[in-house]
Amino acid sequence: MPNLFDYLDWRGDLALDEAPLCEVDNVAFSLLAYVNLDGTVPPPREGSIPLREAAKEYFFLHPEEPPRPLGLIVPGDIVTLFRRMSECRRYRDLLVGGYVNEVCEEREMQFSAITLTLPDESRFVAFRGTDDTLVGWREDFNLSFMDEIPSQRKATDYIDCLDLPPDSGLYLGGHSKGGNLAVYAAVHASEETRRHIRRVYSNDGPGFTDEFLTSEAYLTIADRVCRLQPDSSLVGLLLKHDGSYTVIKSSSRGFLQHNSLSWEIMGSSFVRGEGLSKQGIHADTVVRERIDSMSREEKATLVRLIFTVLESTGAKTLTDLYKDGLRSAFAMLKTYTGMTAEERETATYLWGKLFGSKVPTLAIKASPKPAPTQKTRPAPRRMPPRDRDGKITIEWFPLLRNH
């Protein structure tokens, strides 16, 4: 089925003042936010440049992209999308600026945003979702028990500092966590900023608490929020939503539907689904029940223990963990076994409560010795699986693998 690249073939020759901004354009801009534009796009209050010039500078600085230019799980095809957007008439002359990219381990914050100026002087602010950094993933987990995470406050401050022309429109969007940031910023922005907001897009983004969704501030902006949700993706079902969302079709299944490049398109819209799939409904029910069964203190404790183990490797990104597969596994094992008995017991209990399974035991039972007359062959040594390049795959983590 046609996807975002096909959309560029169909409508790439139509400027935005000829064919107005649509939900597909929103996803294109939201994915653009994943590209590392440091040194390419000006920061806030330092002007803006055409998208084609930003792409020219980017590909000059990155003439040879690695196999995974955006990390282990963010699709590398987004960089190809960036190139295609910079070449088509619809996007190439749009001004881009206000680029921010901040990762702070101390504050447990990963935040990035970019502003595009549309032909009618309206602004589209795209917030980046979770990237390759462990800090970003930890902040995602923190969403489950914190009323406000640092990137949400940063997103609110970002749009409040925009220099918006009188009567101009403001669009906010993002994919995954970026969609959550877009909604949060719209709700908590100043009255002056909210007056400009025309549409807020959450593209398979996680939700919020009941208190947030029933607040007066949210209810006054809710009719301008558009949630796009693949029929069986898990991420967009996390936490709570107000029940208003548009189900769309994807050429992928399950968690892979989170990749917006798999979303099916017809004309200027995504193809609508009839509702959540059985898999999506089941995942929604199970995840909600398990998350709701844990107190805030339990969630905070589990997150702390998980990331204590992961960060003991010295890795800063998922890619680091992947590259140092065996060494990372041994470092995590050492950290886990070095915890107190109480911490290990707590981790086992909370892991089972959330995922419905126990953390695999580290004890190894001795096999009975064979009879003296029995001839046996030594058991073959089990080696961790490797990819085509001979590197140990990221799936091989003794602490996280079910037995």
Side-chain angles (χ1 to χ4, degrees):
M1 288 293 294
N3 61 16
L4 197 47
F5 288 105
D6 298 299
Y7 174 79
L8 296 184
D9 291 334
W10 294 339
R11 296 173 69 86
D13 61 335
L14 296 175
L16 280 163
D17 53 1
E18 297 171 333
L21 181 79
C22 65
E23 62 186 24
V24 182
D25 297 315
N26 137 66
V27 170
F29 295 156
S30 296
L31 293 183
L32 178 63
Y34 280 105
V35 181
N36 184 356
L37 297 172
D38 291 316
T40 301
V41 173
R45 295 177 293 280
E46 292 191 19
S48 56
I49 61 174
L51 183 65
R52 52 184 164 78
E53 293 298 325
K56 181 179 179 181
E57 182 67 16
Y58 175 86
F59 289 107
F60 173 78
L61 295 174
H62 307 274
E64 296 183 5
E65 288 288 356
R68 295 185 176 92
L70 303 179
L72 196 62
I73 63 168
V74 181
D77 286 344
I78 292 177
V79 174
T80 304
L81 177 69
F82 176 32
R83 186 189 293 273
R84 291 281 303 278
M85 290 174 66
S86 72
E87 295 171 344
C88 73
R89 182 167 174 261
R90 187 166 183 78
Y91 302 130
R92 65 191 179 198
D93 292 323
L94 297 181
L95 296 178
V96 292
Y99 179 70
V100 175
N101 183 24
E102 296 183 17
V103 176
C104 179
E105 294 184 9
E106 183 177 349
R107 296 180 61 196
E108 297 177 2
M109 182 190 76
Q110 171 251 318
F111 175 79
S112 184
I114 188 172
T115 299
L116 298 98
T117 300
L118 309 184
D120 64 354
E121 290 300 308
S122 295
R123 305 294 197 269
F124 190 107
V125 175
F127 296 104
R128 181 181 296 177
T130 308
D131 58 16
D132 198 44
T133 62
L134 289 182
V135 171
W137 282 91
R138 181 161 192 163
E139 191 177 36
D140 280 0
F141 278 73
N142 290 346
L143 271 173
S144 67
F145 63 87
M146 293 180 66
D147 292 326
E148 180 183 80
I149 58 174
S151 60
Q152 290 174 330
R153 170 47 47 194
K154 192 77 175 179
T156 305
D157 294 341
Y158 181 94
I159 65 171
D160 274 341
C161 290
L162 292 172
D163 184 14
L164 299 172
D167 301 322
S168 63
L170 175 61
Y171 300 87
L172 308 176
H175 171 258
S176 193
K177 184 181 77 173
N180 176 283
L181 299 185
V183 176
Y184 188 93
V187 170
H188 288 89
S190 67
E191 286 298 325
E192 176 61 22
T193 300
R194 287 159 59 92
R195 185 178 66 82
H196 289 269
I197 296 176
R198 294 180 181 173
R199 202 71 167 156
V200 183
Y201 294 95
S202 178
N203 304 302
D204 202 20
F208 301 90
T209 63
D210 286 325
E211 292 78 12
F212 179 92
L213 296 173
T214 56
S215 67
E216 182 179 354
Y218 175 78
L219 295 176
T220 60
I221 204 86
D223 61 343
R224 284 174 271 180
V225 175
C226 173
R227 272 188 61 213
L228 298 177
Q229 171 70 51
D231 61 12
S232 64
S233 179
L234 176 62
V235 177
L237 300 175
L238 297 175
L239 302 180
K240 302 291 183 64
H241 293 281
D242 62 5
S244 175
Y245 56 86
T246 300
V247 176
I248 58 177
K249 291 187 177 181
S250 165
S251 58
S252 297
R253 294 183 179 181
F255 181 77
L256 296 179
Q257 290 190 351
H258 191 52
N259 179 0
S260 300
L261 295 176
S262 73
W263 297 359
E264 299 176 3
I265 296 172
M266 183 58 67
S268 59
S269 302
F270 292 103
V271 178
R272 273 26 182 185
E274 297 178 358
L276 292 178
S277 66
K278 291 182 179 179
Q279 180 183 2
I281 294 173
H282 176 71
D284 183 25
T285 302
V286 172
V287 170
R288 286 182 191 276
E289 287 178 350
R290 291 180 179 173
I291 291 179
D292 290 345
S293 72
M294 301 178 68
S295 67
R296 286 196 178 198
E297 293 73 17
E298 288 178 326
K299 294 171 187 175
T301 299
L302 181 59
V303 170
R304 177 180 61 81
L305 293 174
I306 288 176
F307 282 89
T308 294
V309 172
L310 292 176
E311 292 167 358
S312 69
T313 64
K316 302 295 183 182
T317 65
L318 295 178
T319 300
D320 293 340
L321 285 175
Y322 174 74
K323 287 181 178 178
D324 300 330
L326 188 57
R327 186 172 64 180
S328 294
F330 285 145
M332 290 189 288
L333 179 62
K334 182 178 179 181
T335 300
Y336 181 77
T337 56
M339 290 179 176
T340 65
E342 181 180 0
E343 286 177 323
R344 290 198 299 273
E345 183 178 352
T346 300
T348 300
Y349 168 73
L350 295 178
W351 182 275
K353 195 171 184 179
L354 180 60
F355 296 105
S357 61
K358 293 182 179 180
V359 174
T361 178
L362 298 176
I364 301 175
K365 294 182 179 180
S367 301
K369 293 183 179 180
T373 57
Q374 183 180 356
K375 293 183 178 181
T376 59
R377 293 182 179 180
R381 183 182 178 187
R382 184 177 180 273
M383 299 299 291
R386 299 175 181 269
D387 61 15
R388 294 179 180 178
D389 299 324
K391 295 178 179 178
I392 296 171
T393 61
I394 193 172
E395 291 83 4
W396 194 77
F397 287 115
L399 290 179
L400 305 181
R401 191 181 68 246
N402 288 326
H403 291 274

